[in-house]
Amino acid sequence: MIVKNTEHNIAAFDVVCDAAEFEKALNEAYRKNKAKILVPGFRKGKAPRMVVEGMYGKDIFHEDAVDELAPEAYAFGVEQAGLRAVGRPSLTGFDVSDDKELTLSFTTAVWPEVTLGQYKGVEAVKQPVVVTDEEVEQEIARVQRRNARIASVERPAKDGDTAIIDYLGTVDGVPFDGGKDEGHGLVLGSGTFIPGFEEQVIGMAPGEEKDITVTFPTEYHAKELAGKEAVFHVKVNELKEEIVPELDDEFAKDVSEFDTLDEYRASVRERLEKSAQESADIDFQNALIEKAAENITADIPEGMIDDQLDNIVNEYDQNLRANGMSLETYLGYMGQNIASFRQSTRPAAERRVKIELLLDKVAAEEGVEVTDEDIEEAYAKAAEDYGVDLEVVKKAVSLDAVTGDIKSRRAAQIIFDSGVAVDPPAEEEAPAEEASAEETPAEEAPAASEEAAE
């Protein structure tokens, strides 16, 4: 087999299938297609292959046979040639010799040669880790709310209460669709009802009834009600209050392993600082890697970028479908289509490819090795993270993928460990003559599409 290297890291090669392989594929193609072939004198699907070939031409099954053989032939050729193929391969042609040998011609993009620039000692901004007293108290307040209990109360309703109400709405004395409910739980102050409704329920006590007058917004979704005045007859059946626990040592014992509130508060600060430090480290590492990726030199084949574009499109589509919307629908709202979306996300795809090339080359340059124990640990962690059986993970994720992921993470750590952190630039005070701009904010510029893609 001869491998011909063309421009931009595209390799071309031929694979020869012997006559027996080709004949087997032809028979399979005949078997799959014979039911659709009509030959005079034979019932449909019953004509022998040689009769069909005699009537329609000896090459009638060639293309289907090629489709049958091509995937395995391509994989064989890549392995035999020692190619590191990327992107989508192409079958550029085929030829059948007089002795019935089949020659398949392929082209494929291959992993480019990469020249590293500076990847150690790269400088990047690292945000300082600061956790304020206010943030600590906000986190404790969230825990308080999670541990709150709900109790019925006999008093006038106030903001934050849940009022269990019956209501009947009318416009000009006539009830309207959707204007009636019983036992509805309304959180006062939530803003879920028509403006002005919840404010008028505040002050009502359990068992009390009254009429509430409101005006529907002019942009209300039900056009027949938009801008109209309505009267709701409301009865408060019950009031429920959220009672949060007192902030004391008993609270600390209930929600943690600590005996005092001061100890618990210190642990919350420590946890927030650790989380903030991890976030700052991740941002710092990403910044270092992006800078180092810009320093590489490589002739990147288009196939690698196209693969990353496919990944980005699929990620967006999956995320949107998880929220009940397809990518096509979303892009329609945004005045885009798949083609324009791919074009706008191309810079993000190029960055991903450069980072992939960088980490691969750093791992090779630094002699990063992966042991069998490393691989088993990675599989076990994935099984634990996704809550599936270990063997299922091993079947779903290839050994090459796991090995590559471990090498990339270790290469990223090498870049991180040698990175040089610099302080964020000091904020400059705006000139006095520009102060008035705060009163009339300019329209925000749209986010760069490549940033949105990430």
Side-chain angles (χ1 to χ4, degrees), residues 201-238:
V201 175
I202 291 175
M204 294 179 67
E208 184 178 346
E209 300 183 43
K210 77 173 185 180
D211 288 339
I212 288 176
T213 302
V214 295
T215 301
F216 283 98
T218 55
E219 299 299 323
Y220 195 64
H221 63 86
K223 299 301 181 185
E224 69 277 9
L225 299 175
K228 292 189 177 180
E229 185 178 270
V231 177
F232 286 86
H233 184 75
V234 178
K235 178 184 178 182
V236 176
N237 300 311
E238 183 183 5

Side-chain angles (χ1 to χ4, degrees), residues 286-348:
N286 289 340
L288 292 171
I289 289 172
E290 287 211 10
K291 283 195 171 184
E294 289 302 317
N295 294 335
I296 70 168
T297 303
D299 185 7
I300 301 173
E302 286 295 313
M304 292 189 78
I305 298 172
D306 287 338
D307 273 358
Q308 283 297 345
L309 280 171
D310 289 344
N311 291 339
I312 292 173
V313 170
N314 289 335
E315 288 165 11
Y316 263 82
D317 190 45
Q318 289 172 13
N319 290 337
L320 287 166
R321 289 185 185 279
N323 290 285
M325 182 183 292
S326 69
L327 178 60
E328 290 79 4
T329 302
Y330 170 77
L331 292 177
Y333 289 143
M334 302 299 291
Q336 284 189 290
N337 55 34
I338 292 293
S340 63
F341 178 71
R342 288 178 70 91
Q343 183 62 35
S344 68
T345 55
R346 184 180 176 84

Side-chain angles (χ1 to χ4, degrees), residues 7 40 93 130 149 166 179 189 222 238 258 260 277 292 337 339 377 394 435:
E7 293 182 351
V130 178
R149 62 184 179 87
D166 301 336
E238 183 183 5
F258 300 100
T260 68
Q277 184 65 62
N337 55 34
E377 285 180 1
K394 288 185 175 182

Side-chain angles (χ1 to χ4, degrees), residues 28 69 83 120 176 188 206 236 254 311 313 375 377 384 432:
E28 182 63 18
L69 290 169
L83 297 176
K120 286 184 175 180
F176 54 87
L188 302 178
V236 176
D254 288 340
N311 291 339
V313 170
I375 293 169
E377 285 180 1
E384 182 181 351

Side-chain angles (χ1 to χ4, degrees), residues 28-85:
E28 182 63 18
Y30 163 71
R31 186 189 66 79
K32 288 181 178 179
N33 289 283
K34 65 179 182 178
K36 299 179 289 186
I37 299 174
L38 183 63
V39 176
F42 293 89
R43 284 181 297 160
K44 195 171 184 179
K46 297 298 182 180
R49 186 184 127 197
M50 63 180 298
V51 173
V52 175
E53 290 175 337
M55 182 172 182
Y56 291 99
K58 64 179 182 179
D59 59 352
I60 182 175
F61 298 118
H62 282 192
E63 287 192 5
D64 287 333
V66 166
D67 290 342
E68 182 79 18
L69 290 169
E72 188 174 341
Y74 169 77
F76 172 80
V78 166
E79 182 180 1
Q80 290 297 304
L83 297 176
R84 193 174 180 183

